[in-house]
Amino acid sequence: MKKIAILGSTGSIGTQTLEIVREQKDIEVLGISAGSNVKLLEQQIREFKPRLACIWTEADAKDLRVRLKDLNVRILSGMEGLIELAVMEEVEILVTAIVGMIGIRPTIAAIEHGKTIALANKETLVTAGHIIMPLAKKNNVPIYPVDSEHSAIFQSLNGENPKEIEKLLLTASGGPFRGKTMEELQHVGVKDALKHPNWSMGRKITIDSATLVNKGLEVIEAKWLFDIEPERIEVVVQPQSIIHSMVQYVDGGIMAQLGTPDMKLPIQYALYYPERRALGGKRVNFFELGQMTFEKPDTKNFRGLDLAYRAITQGGSMPTVFNAANEKAVALFLDGKIRFLQIAELIETAMDAHKIIDAPDVTQILETEEATYDVISTQFLK
Ligand code: NDP
Ligand code: MG
């Protein structure tokens, strides 16, 4: 039996991970956690019987303890609970399916305890990649990507020499607003932004896909995972989402991974690497598909991507500002408090106001996050 724990088991990646557990039958789930979805977490505890579960507030944890008094499960709360879950003794793989920078501390703790990481939580790598990657190397801990593009690159690197990479070709769907003019983007609402053409995902990443911030986060994620300069990472819009990303080698040869858009493939690949397990679902039918098309990203109307390149080029604490400002702005947008185009504006304002700290430690990263939230709140109240 493979023993895993999941940070964020009630979300889009978390529930799909549990579907794989259900189908494969040789994975034991020792720990799961949620932010506030008590009901689903209770169902998951009853079905998967983990030894430990964690929910963010102590009030919810108390409620769960009462609901689950017939079961032998420890219920914890807060950051301490997440860290305890991340380092559980027998766990071999930690699936980081939590959203946002809250994943930094538990991920670091897991690596320090030698756990393999199946990483979906890109915000952690974007803001603390300079800490996490050397730490993983030092502890001999593999980090397997769950993000579909990075999994595709990882798969396209099989049997190849990373020194022979010319560039990475990171594909993007273009999101729900691809092709829209600035004038049209003034009027788009939350409902429109939540309608992704090809992928069904959590709310935050769906908005990030609409702004192209997600692709920006992925460029930074790829830089850390594959140790490659951002100038050698090119974004290619491939609206059908069949090519999940590509690696171009020095001889001009390109290796790619293709498939229907289904996150279960990259999740399962990360859990079983280097083995490939059978997975049901739709196959690509090239005759039905007819054609695949390619475009340059529209960086004029969707500024998220260029802001990400700026953040990673400036380096230090700037990617944290980019990410934290985006997290806050997306939350305000989802609450109906700002317009779609203001997301990029607020990110830029926060980045302009920031004085870069070189190689920030975890405390400085989290202080920068707080300071960025303050800048956005002040800006927002103006
Ligand atoms: P969701 O919003 O669907 O799920 C987030 C999970 O994190 C939920 O289980 C949520 O619990 C939990 N969570 C949130 N806050 C806390 C907290 N304070 N303490 C404990 N748990 C918490 O997100 P996704 O699954 O879409 O995304 C997860 C990560 O994976 C993100 O970093 C995203 O960028 C990345 N990713 C996602 C993809 C996808 O297809 N969805 C594709 C590639 C990457 P609750 O349900 O209670 O709120
Ligand atoms: Mg992705």
Side-chain angles (χ1 to χ4, degrees):
M1 291 295 265
K2 217 178 250 300
K3 296 181 166 57
I4 71 165
I6 308 170
L7 293 175
S9 59
T10 50
S12 162
I13 296 289
T15 50
Q16 292 181 85
T17 305
L18 289 172
E19 278 174 38
I20 293 168
V21 172
R22 231 179 249 132
E23 287 156 16
Q24 293 297 333
K25 307 199 190 315
D26 62 352
I27 301 177
E28 194 181 344
V29 184
L30 298 184
I32 56 179
S33 63
S36 59
N37 194 340
V38 177
K39 215 169 141 212
L40 182 55
L41 191 65
E42 178 185 352
Q43 279 173 22
Q44 292 180 342
I45 295 169
R46 293 199 177 279
E47 180 177 356
F48 295 96
K49 311 257 178 328
R51 288 179 211 165
L52 201 155
C54 184
I55 189 125
W56 187 243
T57 68
E58 182 51 29
D60 282 342
K62 276 199 180 120
D63 178 19
L64 260 180
R65 283 182 205 116
V66 175
R67 288 165 180 249
L68 291 161
K69 58 177 180 301
D70 56 313
L71 289 187
N72 186 16
V73 54
R74 280 179 70 212
I75 311 283
L76 303 177
S77 63
M79 182 52 74
E80 274 167 40
L82 289 179
I83 292 177
E84 202 166 316
L85 183 137
V87 306
M88 282 178 80
E89 199 168 329
E90 284 174 57
V91 165
E92 297 157 63
I93 305 177
L94 178 72
V95 181
T96 63
I98 199 164
V99 56
M101 290 173 67
I102 193 167
I104 296 177
R105 284 195 192 277
T107 304
I108 289 178
I111 295 171
E112 283 169 342
H113 284 73
K115 314 293 181 200
T116 295
I117 308 291
L119 186 137
N121 176 219
K122 61 188 87 179
E123 297 89 352
T124 280
L125 213 49
V126 165
T127 54
H130 60 289
I131 298 170
I132 287 172
M133 294 315 290
L135 191 68
K137 203 169 171 198
K138 185 175 144 223
N139 288 282
N140 214 1
V141 163
I143 298 183
Y144 297 133
V146 166
D147 211 346
S148 59
E149 294 78 1
H150 304 74
S151 176
I153 291 167
F154 185 55
Q155 293 177 58
S156 302
L157 281 164
N158 271 333
E160 303 285 350
N161 182 350
K163 292 207 178 76
E164 292 163 2
I165 298 174
E166 194 164 75
K167 63 178 175 181
L168 303 181
L169 297 160
L170 197 71
T171 53
S173 69
F177 301 146
R178 183 177 61 90
K180 282 210 187 303
T181 61
M182 208 49 146
E183 171 58 25
E184 288 166 328
L185 290 175
Q186 307 273 6
H187 308 293
V188 298
V190 174
K191 268 204 192 129
D192 311 309
L194 284 173
K195 274 190 218 126
H196 195 281
N198 305 330
W199 298 96
S200 155
M201 310 178 282
R203 285 157 65 86
K204 191 247 173 195
I205 185 174
T206 305
I207 303 302
D208 290 351
S209 300
T211 55
L212 277 198
V213 165
N214 182 51
K215 216 39 64 181
L217 294 170
E218 291 184 350
V219 167
I220 306 176
E221 184 185 10
K223 174 211 145 63
W224 290 117
L225 281 171
F226 306 110
D227 190 20
I228 193 156
E229 314 85 84
E231 308 81 69
R232 290 202 291 147
I233 307 173
E234 186 177 0
V235 174
V236 178
V237 176
Q238 198 278 282
Q240 298 79 22
S241 294
I242 298 296
I243 302 181
H244 298 310
S245 277
M246 308 177 252
V247 180
Q248 182 171 314
Y249 290 94
V250 287
D251 60 357
I254 296 172
M255 303 297 287
Q257 186 253 333
L258 286 72
T260 49
D262 180 358
M263 283 310 295
K264 276 164 78 180
L265 189 155
I267 299 170
Q268 186 168 289
Y269 195 76
L271 291 175
Y272 286 101
Y273 175 81
E275 188 187 346
R276 276 188 194 273
R277 286 278 173 108
L279 180 62
K282 221 170 155 243
R283 292 338 191 205
V284 175
N285 180 328
F286 285 103
F287 308 107
E288 248 173 43
L289 180 67
Q291 60 175 353
M292 285 189 273
T293 54
F294 301 91
E295 294 165 20
K296 276 200 163 144
D298 174 358
T299 50
K300 221 167 126 249
N301 291 345
F302 301 89
R303 300 185 42 241
L305 187 57
D306 278 356
L307 287 167
Y309 275 107
R310 174 182 152 195
I312 193 63
T313 306
Q314 292 184 314
S317 50
M318 199 52 106
T320 294
V321 176
F322 170 74
N323 180 70
N326 178 59
E327 284 189 24
K328 188 76 181 174
V330 169
L332 289 170
F333 174 68
L334 284 169
D335 274 357
K337 300 213 168 99
I338 61 169
R339 286 173 296 108
F340 180 75
L341 289 172
Q342 282 178 288
I343 298 175
E345 283 169 22
L346 286 178
I347 298 173
E348 188 169 38
T349 305
M351 286 172 69
D352 287 345
H354 182 62
K355 204 165 158 287
I356 297 176
I357 305 164
D358 283 329
D361 61 21
V362 174
T363 309
Q364 289 170 316
I365 290 171
L366 298 176
E367 281 168 4
T368 302
E369 178 190 26
E370 281 304 314
T372 304
Y373 288 175
D374 288 347
V375 170
I376 300 249
S377 303
T378 325
Q379 181 71 20
F380 173 65
L381 289 173
K382 259 194 208 162

